Amino acid sequence: MLSMYPACFFEEENGHYSVVFPDLNYLATSGDSFEEAMTMAVDCLAGYLRWCSEDGDTIPEPSGIMNIDVDAVARDIGEEEMAASCIVNIVSVDVEAYAKQHFDKSVRKTLTIPAWLNSAAMERGINFSQTLQEALLSKVQSDPAIYK
């Protein structure tokens, strides 16, 4: 099912764009160009809607594109001077299809371990994929610098 929300694309002095979804508690992202900002907006919208749905949160209805008050949005985010550079555009995404492609997709990895470790793990019936995923998840969650 296609989800569509209006977004405010604010052009910055350096040619970058900030993107704000007024209907979604001012959910925001950005990009180095309009095209990248649109790509990031689709990703941001898909992630937000998916996690709201998974958490059982209420998802607001989208406003009509003509109902977006750019001056009010700019004022609410403290960027009044950027209102003149704003483009309001609809961002659309099929959340389920996007999630399958970008969030849920597994990736095959090849790794090398010592033979003795392989034998010991095999004897104990250890699931290599599950163990690697658990170890990577633990490492990622413990080191915020990895997210960069």
Side-chain angles (χ1 to χ4, degrees):
M1 182 173 116
L2 197 61
S3 297
M4 299 183 291
Y5 280 82
C8 296
F9 289 76
F10 293 97
E11 186 174 9
E12 300 173 11
E13 290 180 11
N14 56 9
H16 296 193
Y17 283 82
S18 294
V19 184
V20 177
F21 290 92
D23 294 329
L24 304 174
N25 298 318
Y26 294 91
L27 177 70
T29 189
S30 64
D32 292 339
S33 65
F34 185 81
E35 291 77 17
E36 183 178 301
M38 180 59 82
T39 299
M40 296 301 294
V42 169
D43 185 71
C44 185
L45 179 62
Y48 181 83
L49 295 177
R50 176 150 189 246
W51 281 285
C52 281
S53 179
E54 286 179 354
D55 291 346
D57 295 340
T58 302
I59 300 172
E61 290 294 318
S63 297
I65 196 167
M66 300 305 290
N67 295 333
I68 300 298
D69 181 346
V70 173
D71 292 321
V73 173
R75 188 172 46 254
D76 288 347
I77 64 171
E79 299 290 346
E80 294 88 347
E81 68 282 354
M82 291 178 61
S85 72
C86 183
I87 300 166
V88 180
N89 205 343
I90 296 292
V91 177
S92 63
V93 65
D94 180 329
V95 177
E96 291 303 316
Y98 193 89
K100 284 180 186 174
Q101 178 79 28
H102 299 279
F103 302 147
D104 299 334
K105 183 179 178 183
S106 292
V107 185
R108 179 173 291 280
K109 291 290 183 185
T110 303
L111 66 126
T112 305
I113 59 173
W116 69 266
L117 184 56
N118 183 62
S119 296
M122 296 284 288
E123 288 173 8
R124 290 167 179 78
I126 294 174
N127 181 317
F128 285 80
S129 291
Q130 181 180 1
T131 302
L132 179 58
Q133 287 179 47
E134 289 169 354
L136 289 170
L137 186 58
S138 174
K139 180 74 173 171
V140 167
Q141 290 174 337
S142 68
D143 186 357
I146 291 177
Y147 289 116
K148 293 181 180 181

